[in-house]
Amino acid sequence: MEITWWGHATCTVEDSGVRLLTDPVFARRLAHLRRRRGAPPPARAAVADAVLVSHLHADHLHLPSLARLAAGTKLLVPRGAVRAVPGLRRLVRLDVVEVGPGDTEKVGPVTVRVVPALHDGRRMPVGPRRSPALGFVVDGRARTYFAGDTGLFDTMAEEAGPVDVALLPVGGWGPGLGHHHLDATRAAEALRRLAPASAVPVHYGTYWPIGLDAVRPHEFHSPGDEFVRKAAVSAPGVRVHLLDHGESVRPEVRR
């Protein structure tokens, strides 16, 4: 089993011969955001058996990136996404499946279980709250928890269940985070509660607003290292893999 971090919340999870891709964003620029570190992922990053989209924000559900997927790719999106994001209807080559917490989907020998997240799931900047924000547990040789974009909530560990690997957001794309996000401190507490064998920090150090390079730059550069330090105190039994963009790891699995 192998994890590759492509930047932001985009990861490839390879398990039991199945490739799953999380929240694919391959753009150099996204509205007011630019990719400040790391080259856009190579073409091979778009190769997947299934894609897991955590919520409707454009830095997680990015239509031009989804259009690069091969015909027949299964695309799991939050329930109500097709109504809220009409552009999804143009992706006729993909197998679009709307899911919500409690649902499961088979992808070859792997089972994907859908769990809740604490986040605003709307398609921004306008629109009613039509779709939930989601996390996913990939159950194959390992159990891998992709938290999506979320705050810390009381039942997180209960919803995820026993996991071997946790892909946790530890930052964001701007100089401020609300409580519906995990920063390094809250992510370390989430790690303590989840108690996996391994963790990979994501959702930091990739995109940043144009013109704000000098505004609180530590919130761009430092969340990964800060999470490693805090996790060593909060969850000393968990091995944290701090990856560079495009780097892969074969994390520890308890099974």
Side-chain angles (χ1 to χ4, degrees):
M1 136 359 116
E2 186 173 83
I3 307 288
T4 303
W5 182 48
W6 301 110
H8 201 50
T10 306
C11 299
T12 295
V13 178
E14 298 185 66
D15 192 322
S16 306
V18 173
R19 287 174 59 95
L20 299 117
L21 181 63
T22 66
D23 288 352
V25 180
F26 303 141
R28 290 185 181 275
R29 179 172 174 176
L30 177 64
H32 64 299
L33 306 178
R34 67 177 174 90
R35 194 175 180 104
R36 186 178 176 191
R37 188 168 72 193
R44 70 179 185 277
V47 178
D49 298 291
V51 173
L52 315 179
V53 173
S54 64
H55 63 291
L56 305 190
H57 293 177
D59 61 319
H60 293 259
L61 193 165
H62 185 242
L63 292 169
S65 295
L66 296 178
R68 291 175 54 179
L69 301 171
T73 303
K74 180 176 283 191
L75 176 62
L76 304 186
V77 296
R79 188 167 291 120
V82 175
R83 181 181 62 180
V85 187
L88 282 170
R89 298 172 190 152
R90 296 195 293 269
L91 302 179
V92 295
R93 301 179 306 113
L94 305 182
D95 178 14
V96 180
V97 181
E98 293 192 346
V99 295
D103 290 346
T104 60
E105 286 286 330
K106 290 289 291 184
V107 185
V110 168
T111 299
V112 178
R113 181 164 55 88
V114 185
V115 297
L118 178 63
H119 197 66
D120 184 347
R122 293 178 295 173
R123 184 68 165 181
M124 302 297 282
V126 296
R129 189 167 301 177
R130 297 177 179 172
S131 294
L134 306 175
F136 299 90
V137 177
V138 177
D139 193 348
R141 181 173 178 270
R143 291 190 186 98
T144 302
Y145 173 45
F146 170 58
D149 205 353
T150 186
L152 185 64
F153 57 99
D154 291 342
T155 60
M156 176 183 279
E158 176 184 343
E159 297 284 358
V163 294
D164 298 294
V165 186
L167 310 180
L168 293 177
V170 301
W173 52 253
L177 285 174
H179 284 287
H180 285 194
H181 296 82
L182 293 180
D183 59 10
T185 300
R186 293 191 287 271
E189 172 59 18
L191 197 65
R192 184 190 69 80
R193 299 181 189 183
L194 291 162
S198 305
V200 176
V202 302
H203 204 274
Y204 77 99
T206 307
Y207 291 99
W208 200 248
I210 294 169
L212 293 186
D213 287 4
V215 179
R216 305 184 75 179
H218 64 283
E219 294 199 9
F220 178 86
H221 293 287
S222 66
D225 291 328
E226 186 178 356
F227 174 68
V228 170
R229 291 193 299 271
K230 292 180 179 295
V233 176
S234 296
V238 181
R239 184 169 182 183
V240 178
H241 300 277
L242 189 67
L243 302 181
D244 290 328
H245 293 79
E247 187 177 4
S248 301
V249 65
R250 293 184 175 180
E252 297 75 10
V253 175
R254 293 193 179 107
R255 298 188 189 185

